[in-house]
Amino acid sequence: MPRRLRGALHRAAPALALYVAARLTGLALAALVSVWTKRPMWPRLGASWDSKWYMGIAQHGYGTVITAKTPGVSYNDMAFFPLYPALERAVATLLPVGAVEAGLAAAWLAAGAAAVGIYAVGERLHGRRVGITLVLLWGLLPHAIVQTMAYSESLMTALSAFSLYAVLTRRWLWAGSLALLAGLTRPNGLAVAAAVVAAAALVLWRSRGARDDWRVWAGAALAPLGWAGYVAWVGLRSGRLLGYFDIQSNWGSRFDFGVSEFEFLKGVFTDRGTPAHLTYYMGAAVLLVALAALVLFALDRPPLPVLVYALVLVVIAFGGTKFYACKPRFLLPAFPLLLPAALALTRARPRTAAVLVSCVALISFVYGVHSLFYASTAP
């Protein structure tokens, strides 16, 4: 193992250990509830909601379309980007495990990599203590149970974090390549490409010498190719230039610049037109906290690519229609929004910090159990 990589992993080890401890505690509580209620946990982690779609793509490729009872609504598996199911398939090919186990193994490996990448960004920006705290907070988010489910958010977070770290350390080819892969993972992977392109544009504008560096241009050119390439492929396969957006629209997902989101939030707080589920109240609370965190984060004047990344993720989450209970999950990759809280915790008295983290952990573990076993909507 190269000395630089070994040193990086050594520095990240405490953050990774705390992250693993947090998620194992959450899983242990879920296992106890599973035994107590006789509700199986394994299928809920690896073969429920979006996990079923990823598993189907990993096993059979694309081509599944389900027509809903609601007129004008149909569910096409090409709405899901290909990198995570490809990773599932690779794990299933290399290891003697079933489809569910392969999906979970891929997700857990990605979550561990994400923890290391988040630490690297936090350490780069504010030092080791903030990096460790940042990872712990990410592992204790209300929707952190998703990080241990067979979902693609952890993989995108890992690729995004390392791409941002590469930008911050001026490794342009790595930044562009990782952004390309993030763009093949989720629709909001476009945020990583935007961050890399913005960083490259800023460097080219500020430094005349950088204009002769082909790596800056190459990194910026590579960054959007994953997202754009998949959207183009769906367009070719569907026979419509904007076929991917038609498919998303058939799922009920469109971009309306936040109009429907405002109506949803208004409905939550006025009890008009919004189901009285805990998932909706939690979703509304997380979205409002994310807006406040974005403002605080921007006031701290972070590096441009990190700010652009967080901003684009928030805009996509707020601007999209439907799936309101899932919006906090869509924001899981937006780990820079946790930096103001991480900074505050590292500056607080140890006892105060311990009490606050304990409260956050309790909410995370209890809500994770609710999402896994009792929620009527996807986490």
Side-chain angles (χ1 to χ4, degrees), residues 6 51 73 90 121 128 153 187 222 226 229 254 256 262 289 306 317 325 327 331 341 356:
R6 188 166 60 247
S51 301
V73 177
V121 173
R128 192 161 188 256
E153 276 78 10
L222 283 170
R254 294 177 295 277
D256 67 354
F262 175 76
V289 170
V306 186
K327 295 293 184 73
L331 286 171
L356 290 174

Side-chain angles (χ1 to χ4, degrees), residues 86-153:
L87 183 59
E88 279 190 87
R89 186 165 186 167
V91 172
T93 301
L94 295 173
L95 300 177
V97 296
V100 173
E101 290 77 14
L104 289 174
W108 293 355
L109 288 171
V116 175
I118 291 170
Y119 169 80
V121 173
E123 182 196 42
R124 179 76 183 181
L125 295 178
H126 296 288
R128 192 161 188 256
R129 289 183 63 200
V130 172
I132 293 172
T133 307
L134 183 64
V135 171
L136 180 60
L137 289 177
W138 187 70
L140 294 176
L141 286 169
H143 289 70
I145 188 66
V146 171
Q147 299 166 15
T148 42
M149 297 176 69
Y151 277 30
S152 60
E153 276 78 10

Side-chain angles (χ1 to χ4, degrees), residues 169-182:
T169 54
R170 296 296 187 262
R171 295 175 171 89
W172 293 105
L173 294 181
W174 275 109
S177 300
L178 290 166
L180 184 155
L181 293 174

Side-chain angles (χ1 to χ4, degrees), residues 203-353:
V203 167
L204 292 170
W205 179 63
R206 284 181 172 178
S207 173
R208 183 171 298 179
R211 298 172 191 173
D212 297 326
D213 189 345
W214 66 272
R215 289 166 296 188
V216 179
W217 294 96
L222 283 170
L225 291 184
W227 188 89
Y230 180 69
V231 170
W233 177 80
V234 173
L236 288 173
R237 181 158 173 169
S238 64
R240 302 185 302 277
L241 179 62
L242 301 178
Y244 173 77
F245 300 101
D246 293 337
I247 289 170
Q248 285 283 11
S249 181
N250 289 337
W251 275 77
S253 179
R254 294 177 295 277
F255 191 84
D256 67 354
F257 299 94
V259 174
S260 64
E261 189 63 46
F262 175 76
E263 292 298 322
F264 163 72
L265 292 173
K266 185 171 69 173
V268 168
F269 293 108
T270 61
D271 292 326
R272 294 178 182 176
T274 302
H277 297 312
L278 177 59
T279 50
Y280 287 99
Y281 293 122
M282 180 62 80
V286 169
L287 289 174
L288 292 176
V289 170
L291 276 181
L294 178 63
V295 173
L296 292 174
F297 179 58
L299 290 175
D300 197 38
R301 301 180 67 181
L304 179 66
V306 186
L307 178 60
V308 168
Y309 171 71
L311 177 63
V312 173
L313 285 176
V314 171
V315 168
I316 291 174
F318 272 83
T321 61
K322 209 176 176 182
F323 305 109
Y324 302 110
C326 299
K327 295 293 184 73
R329 168 165 62 89
F330 301 160
L331 286 171
L332 275 179
F335 65 89
L337 296 180
L338 297 170
L339 274 168
L343 282 165
L345 281 174
T346 55
R347 295 166 182 167
R349 295 179 179 178
R351 181 178 298 179
T352 302

